[in-house]
Amino acid sequence: MGEFFAGWFPAGWEFLGYTIAALIQAFLLVNVIALGAFVFIWAERKVSGRIQDRLGPTRTGGAFGWLQSLADGIKLLSKEDLMPKDADPILFKLAPYVAFAASFSAFMALPFASGWVALHLNIGLFFLIAVLGLEVFGVILAGYSSGSKWSLFGAMRQAAQVVSYEVPLGICVIVPLMICGTMDLVAIGDQQRGLFTNWLIFHDPFIFVVFWIYFTCAVASVNRAPFDLAEAESELVAGFLTEYSGMRWSLFFMAEYGSMILVSALAAILFFGGWNGPIPVFSALMDWYPDYLGNCWWFSSIANVFGVLCLLIKASIGVILMMWVRWTFPRLRVDQVITMCLKYCVPIAAVCLLGVMFWTALGVPFFNDLLPAQERALVREGWYKTGEKQADTLLKSLASSTDEQGEAE
């Protein structure tokens, strides 16, 4: 997109095109988080209502309560923005934006389809996990700057939980990375193109266990029940959120729902084929008509649109599964949360990492080998594709210059 808009401007002013592209991408990503929070707040109320054998929202927005989230947003905007007298003014106001910025920044490296990513990084997986962990700084700042010991206690509990669960989460992420041989999320998604048997979840039995460890760690990392340590039962307060109100309070929840969408979409890319559906309709059409559809831009755009829808459906299923867990299992104590991480998640993830390593090295067949699938090594990373394009351009320019020189002679 940046190159497209840069072509509109004369030499020396290309940065304006890249600025326009960046603003468009930022606008789209902000709307993914905002609209995602709008929809999933309503969905959580309906899901929790069904689990508890009640209806949930039914009045605002018709029989299904579609506009309940909008009514909540208007209410939060109209509420008074309070700040305790003992709070640090700068840090107290800055903390919600730090938490939201961490969740928003991670979306820049998240691909929604093949090539449809705001920032195509060869280390996109590492960047995404690293930036997502920065959300805990907003939590710590909120608890520290509130001038309340209860807020500080809640922030410290939440920080200890997030930092602890990053260890097994990182081990789980290494497993798909090791199978695909790349940290490029676009390449990882493209390597699972084909039938659903080519998804990494069907690579071997160990990675199936790894997914559930990842899901457990993801629920803990986004502060969802039963791992919501910020709110202690003995304190009757909301942890680091106790002193917040109005729009700043809602920013924390937007960051939480944005992180839920992010980790669910990442799980879809790492384990469930990403934007690739269970049946490769568009890939089959391209294989049948390579001469006509191979370089057809509108066909690839339609395929990417359906890929985005496929990824969003998978991510939505992951978010709804988190809601299901929240309203099904009881909350855990602090010692139980840390025990779950250090005594169960870390050892099981480490054993599964070794299992996948030996399974791959020995070439043991599994569901991936039942039906034809593409060779993962044939899918190239972003830097390789860029190098190929530059080499082709250079060869064409050299060929044209050689032809012109020959004609001149």
Side-chain angles (χ1 to χ4, degrees):
M1 183 182 292
E3 296 177 355
F4 174 75
F5 286 109
W8 293 6
F9 297 91
W13 295 88
E14 293 88 352
F15 69 93
L16 293 176
Y18 289 102
T19 302
I20 294 173
L23 292 175
I24 294 175
Q25 292 170 346
F27 174 78
L28 293 175
L29 293 179
V30 167
N31 278 277
V32 169
I33 301 176
L35 294 178
F38 178 87
V39 172
F40 288 122
I41 288 174
W42 168 83
E44 180 150 19
R45 294 186 172 187
K46 300 297 285 189
V47 169
S48 62
R50 298 299 179 179
I51 291 176
Q52 297 171 355
D53 198 19
R54 56 185 179 84
L55 296 177
T58 56
R59 297 177 181 269
T60 307
F64 297 100
W66 300 104
L67 298 179
Q68 184 63 50
S69 298
L70 180 62
D72 292 338
I74 296 174
K75 180 189 71 173
L76 289 172
L77 288 173
S78 62
K79 289 179 71 70
E80 184 179 2
D81 186 13
L82 301 175
M83 184 175 63
K85 64 176 183 179
D86 295 331
D88 187 306
I90 297 178
L91 297 181
F92 185 84
K93 296 178 180 179
L94 184 63
Y97 302 101
V98 172
F100 179 78
S103 177
F104 168 76
S105 300
F107 273 91
M108 292 192 300
L110 181 71
F112 292 88
S114 181
W116 284 17
V117 56
L119 189 62
H120 190 177
L121 297 175
N122 300 319
I123 55 169
L125 181 58
F126 174 79
F127 175 85
L128 193 148
I129 296 297
V131 173
L132 186 61
L134 297 178
E135 187 178 347
V136 71
F137 284 102
V139 174
I140 296 174
L141 286 177
Y144 171 78
S145 62
S146 294
S148 169
K149 61 181 180 180
W150 307 116
S151 298
L152 182 59
F153 288 162
M156 291 299 102
R157 285 194 301 268
Q158 178 65 19
Q161 172 183 308
V162 172
V163 172
S164 299
Y165 276 89
E166 282 183 350
V167 177
L169 183 66
I171 298 175
C172 294
V173 167
I174 289 175
V175 174
L177 185 153
M178 181 178 62
I179 296 174
C180 297
T182 177
M183 287 191 290
D184 189 343
L185 289 173
V186 177
I188 293 176
D190 287 339
Q191 287 187 16
Q192 301 174 73
R193 187 185 299 121
L195 293 173
F196 66 93
T197 55
N198 199 37
W199 295 355
L200 291 181
I201 193 68
F202 300 115
H203 182 270
D204 57 76
F206 295 101
I207 200 170
F208 182 79
V209 179
V210 166
F211 164 72
W212 290 109
I213 300 298
Y214 170 89
F215 178 78
T216 303
C217 298
V219 173
S221 65
V222 298
N223 189 31
R224 295 286 297 182
F227 301 99
D228 51 340
L229 289 186
E231 300 90 357
E233 295 179 354
S234 60
E235 297 172 4
L236 298 179
V237 294
F240 65 92
L241 284 171
T242 302
E243 306 298 339
Y244 281 90
S245 62
M247 190 60 189
R248 291 195 178 92
W249 183 86
S250 65
L251 283 175
F252 280 110
F253 275 85
M254 286 183 64
E256 177 180 324
Y257 279 93
S259 299
M260 290 170 61
I261 299 170
L262 183 68
V263 296
S264 299
L266 182 61
I269 295 174
L270 295 180
F271 299 100
F272 294 98
W275 45 86
N276 299 299
I279 300 176
V281 177
F282 291 96
S283 298
L285 291 175
M286 191 171 294
D287 293 337
W288 292 341
Y289 306 101
D291 297 333
Y292 179 69
L293 300 177
N295 297 320
C296 190
W297 65 268
W298 61 265
F299 180 80
S300 60
S301 298
I302 293 174
N304 280 341
V305 169
F306 278 92
V308 171
L309 294 176
C310 185
L311 180 66
L312 293 178
I313 290 172
K314 295 175 182 178
S316 300
I317 293 174
V319 174
I320 292 174
L321 186 58
M322 289 184 183
M323 299 175 184
W324 186 7
V325 169
R326 172 178 182 176
W327 298 102
T328 303
F329 293 99
R331 296 179 74 248
L332 302 177
R333 299 193 310 266
V334 176
D335 61 313
Q336 293 173 331
V337 171
I338 303 302
T339 298
M340 171 71 77
C341 174
L342 300 180
K343 289 188 178 182
Y344 297 99
C345 290
V346 173
I348 294 174
V351 170
C352 290
L353 175 63
L354 295 175
V356 173
M357 181 177 64
F358 285 109
W359 191 286
T360 305
L362 297 175
V364 182
F366 201 58
F367 289 127
N368 274 166
D369 304 303
L370 294 179
L371 295 173
Q374 65 175 356
E375 291 290 337
R376 302 193 194 279
L378 298 179
V379 178
R380 300 299 187 179
E381 297 180 350
W383 65 270
Y384 189 90
K385 294 179 181 179
T386 304
E388 281 187 332
K389 291 180 180 180
Q390 293 177 351
D392 292 339
T393 304
L394 180 60
L395 290 174
K396 290 180 180 178
S397 62
L398 290 175
S400 61
S401 62
T402 303
D403 295 338
E404 292 176 358
Q405 184 177 2
E407 292 175 358
E409 293 177 354

